[in-house]
Amino acid sequence: MRTQREETTAQAVENRYNSTTLGNQVWKLKQEKSDKEDQQVKPCIWMASGAVAKKSCNNFFDCTSCKYDAAMEQKVADGKQISWQDSMRRRESMERLCRHSMTMRMVPRVCAYNYNCSSCDFDQYLEDVLSHRTKHAAFAIDNVKGFNVPQGYYFHSGHTWAVIENGGHIKVGLDDFALKLLGKADALDMPMIGVELNRNMPGWGLKRRDNLADVLSPVDGVIVQVNEKARRNPGVANSDPYGDGWLFSVHNSDIKGTLKALMDHDESMAWTGEEVNRLEEMIESVAGPMATDGGILLPDIYGNLPGLDWKQLTRLFLKNS
Amino acid sequence: MDNTKGKLPFILVSPIEKFSIELSVKIGDAVGDFFGYPIKVLPLLQEIDFAFNSDRDQYHSTLILEKLSSLAPERCLKILAITDKDLFIPILTHVYGEAQLNGIACIVSTNRLNTDLQLSKNKVLERIIKESIHELGHTFNLRHCKDHSCIMHYCRSLEDVDLKSNNYCRYCEVLLSDAMN
Ligand SMILES: [Zn+2]
Ligand SMILES: [Zn+2]
């Protein structure tokens, strides 16, 4: 019985070994590079339509808050530029992709409304209801001393995360560390849609036995969606903290500023490592010095080590005092 | 193998259940060279069912250590038990080994050290010896060391184990010689 992690570690070591001894390191590098290129090519809707030659999206496919889009619309109004809609109208009707497919929110779908989005029921439906539900693309996960830290997610020091969804909403949740530390909550006290979250302020709460803990919101924003599945069954967060276990979707028009205030991937990795060290010190202060080697902390550390103090744990790690 | 004639204290290497005596002798040779104590190889425990946890399908190492320390023969300085069973303590997924800090008994499991059939026997033996020296270090009251290359560094994975050296850092070396005198 071996853990997943050890197998991947062994695999990684073996891959490295193979790539040096078999001399196929060049092949590996190429592979990595092309993966990266794929990630970087995010054609702006103006480029995808053929209206401009080259422009990649840097606004999370949220055209409504995009300065480039606004400037281009102005050019169109001044008669200096063909609109992306007109550019698409030059295509055969079956090749006229819906703008939501072009911005990667949707599987390819043909526009039946001649790009008059304001008269499209589907567009209204998508904007109002679907946008914050569209799945975040598959993500790679790094592991720091037994705790998962996904790439592309931004971390807050109160052990919460934020990630940008295509369309510009921000999804938030609790991180793997907090969920493994505190175990499965008996209840999540989640606010309703329309409530405003404030960064660094208690945004929601969790309950375990008779213990309560406030959780600080990692971002400012208005809640546009609550994960009902997680509300009904908090264990969903423990089993998939960065996927199905998300908690809210919020709207905030200043996405770049929001992200800047959080930790990027490298910072999140380093910080998680330090938090694990702090936790181990705390465990040793309760259980005595560890005289073992090997292994990682089992989920539900609070439940597995009766001497740990809930208040002290949540104050230190959720920063909620 | 018994080079413990005379009155010197010795380190007892104790294979558990059917663990190979031949491999135990090899581990004993390495450990004896390292610490400079005579070695005796002697099975103390024929079975460890009392430490089995059926929910986890693993053996609780702390219980085995308690039992071993009650069985220590005269002049036995430290007991190093070796098993191929998978060990755990409650807060961790598994352990490669556990020791009684500043106590008499420690145990090492080979269960997770031999992960790959293509690994050479020497590589596996090297890991077992590293873990044995690490756990014996704990019985000499050494705590975990922040130095990644020190043998007292706490390793979560085999990658970490392979990265650390088979020696104490200068700091731990001093603590060890203090403890041994
Ligand atoms: Zn140790
Ligand atoms: Zn050291």
Side-chain angles (χ1 to χ4, degrees), chain A residues 290-294, chain B residues 97-99 131 134-135 138 142-144 151-155 164:
Chain A
M290 302 251 284
T292 55
D293 204 31
Chain B
E98 189 189 0
E131 290 306 315
H134 177 100
E135 295 309 336
H138 282 313
L142 293 189
R143 303 271 304 266
H144 285 145
I151 202 158
M152 288 316 292
H153 187 66
Y154 171 42
C155 295
K164 71 179 170 185

Side-chain angles (χ1 to χ4, degrees), chain A residues 211-270:
Chain A
N211 301 307
L212 299 168
D214 283 337
V215 183
L216 304 187
S217 173
V219 296
D220 291 332
V222 174
I223 295 177
V224 290
Q225 180 81 11
V226 177
N227 185 353
E228 284 301 326
K229 217 165 128 190
R231 189 208 291 275
R232 281 196 304 271
N233 174 18
V236 173
N238 299 70
S239 50
D240 191 8
Y242 305 110
D244 285 347
W246 63 279
L247 298 180
F248 311 102
S249 222
V250 304
H251 176 76
N252 177 325
S253 52
D254 180 17
I255 287 174
K256 283 173 196 164
T258 301
L259 296 186
K260 232 179 193 154
L262 298 170
M263 288 180 265
D264 68 16
H265 186 61
D266 288 345
E267 290 167 334
S268 303
M269 299 260 289

Side-chain angles (χ1 to χ4, degrees), chain B residues 109-143:
Chain B
S109 162
T110 60
N111 189 280
R112 289 166 186 266
L113 302 180
N114 189 3
T115 44
D116 190 335
L117 294 173
Q118 278 157 22
L119 269 183
S120 72
K121 281 196 169 142
N122 279 345
K123 184 75 190 172
V124 177
L125 183 63
E126 185 189 310
R127 287 174 177 172
I128 298 171
I129 291 168
K130 275 183 182 175
E131 290 306 315
S132 300
I133 296 172
H134 177 100
E135 295 309 336
L136 283 166
H138 282 313
T139 67
F140 285 109
N141 207 22
L142 293 189
R143 303 271 304 266

